[in-house]
Amino acid sequence: MDVFEAIKTTRAMRRLDTSKPVSDADIWTIVEAATKAPSGGNSQPVRWLVVRDEEKRRKLGDIYRECWAPVAEMYRGRTPASDVTTNRVLNSADYLGEHMGEAPVIIVPCAKGGDPGSVYPAVQNLFLAARALGLGTTLTTVHKRKEQEVRDVLGIPEEVNTFALIPVGYPTGQWKEAQRRPVEDVTYWDTWRSVAPRPADGG
Ligand SMILES: Cc1cc2nc3c(=O)[nH]c(=O)nc-3n(C[C@H](O)[C@H](O)[C@H](O)COP(=O)(O)O)c2cc1C
């Protein structure tokens, strides 16, 4: 798959086909892609905990559900019914809130130290590689509210941080372009807030 196509169509895929297994070969491929990302001083601090065990996934799912509930309530409290876009995201996130534990695989990027700067570029590589293989992913972080419980399930030492719970599986929905603001709106040239139109020929 063309890299730009993968970038455009990689988005939060929260509804996963729980009956379609994900191969170990594909997991190795996407984690290897993650390991190719840059890190501060090439320190390569991230360890990838691949959770396949059904009981452990169920426990992570229970923790995730408890973490998502108050966050959902907070967002709902400040989202009017007329805000269709945000409500759609919330409904999708509610679904994951209930079903995280059923994802065929949950990947947990871990590292000592709290700086996510060496973690998230690698996570994005993992997402893009997964997309190229037709696998859906979502970056989730609400488990941080009960991070020690996640550590306990997976035997992670206290000095190691968990940066995300990433459900991986074949999506039930369609791949389509992620909705993002136009590049012209978020790009300034030479001076703060100085926007410019993009020439039709690409510039
Ligand atoms: C730092 C970060 C944390 C996120 N945490 C969660 C989360 O805990 N739960 C969740 O369902 N989605 C989470 N998301 C996913 C975003 O909601 C999602 O990327 C955004 O709504 C855009 O959705 P789209 O890619 O489908 O367009 C997170 C995304 C980022 C970048």
Side-chain angles (χ1 to χ4, degrees), residues 37-105:
S39 58
N42 205 18
S43 54
Q44 304 175 57
V46 188
R47 300 296 174 268
W48 303 90
L49 219 163
V50 177
V51 187
R52 275 207 181 276
D53 180 83
E54 193 175 342
E55 180 65 10
K56 289 184 179 175
R57 282 187 288 121
R58 190 188 58 71
K59 285 182 181 164
L60 293 181
D62 290 345
I63 297 167
Y64 187 82
R65 183 182 300 107
E66 286 169 22
C67 291
W68 173 247
V71 176
E73 202 174 319
M74 183 187 75
Y75 278 118
R76 284 235 148 66
R78 60 185 196 209
T79 306
S82 57
D83 184 347
V84 177
T85 308
T86 307
N87 279 302
R88 194 174 296 145
V89 173
L90 283 174
N91 288 342
S92 161
D94 280 349
Y95 179 89
L96 184 61
E98 285 304 314
H99 298 276
M100 172 67 88
E102 296 158 37
V105 181

Side-chain angles (χ1 to χ4, degrees), residues 10-14 64 68 71 89 92-94 96-97 100 120 138-143 163 165 177-180:
T10 295
R11 60 192 186 90
M13 299 303 261
R14 299 189 181 89
Y64 187 82
W68 173 247
V71 176
V89 173
S92 161
D94 280 349
L96 184 61
M100 172 67 88
Y120 288 141
T138 303
L139 180 56
T140 80
T141 53
V142 297
H143 75 284
F163 286 85
L165 298 188
E177 192 165 337
Q179 287 185 354
R180 303 290 185 255

Side-chain angles (χ1 to χ4, degrees), residues 109-179:
C110 304
K112 283 185 187 166
D115 179 11
S118 290
V119 180
Y120 288 141
V123 167
Q124 187 64 16
N125 267 12
L126 183 133
F127 285 2
L128 292 173
R131 168 67 190 99
L133 296 173
L135 289 167
T137 52
T138 303
L139 180 56
T140 80
T141 53
V142 297
H143 75 284
K144 279 288 198 183
R145 294 169 160 247
K146 292 181 186 275
E147 186 177 24
Q148 190 51 47
E149 291 183 27
V150 171
R151 286 195 191 97
D152 291 345
V153 171
L154 302 173
I156 299 171
E158 216 167 299
E159 70 274 15
V160 173
N161 291 304
T162 63
F163 286 85
L165 298 188
I166 302 169
V168 183
Y170 291 95
T172 57
Q174 298 299 309
W175 295 105
K176 55 186 179 204
E177 192 165 337
Q179 287 185 354

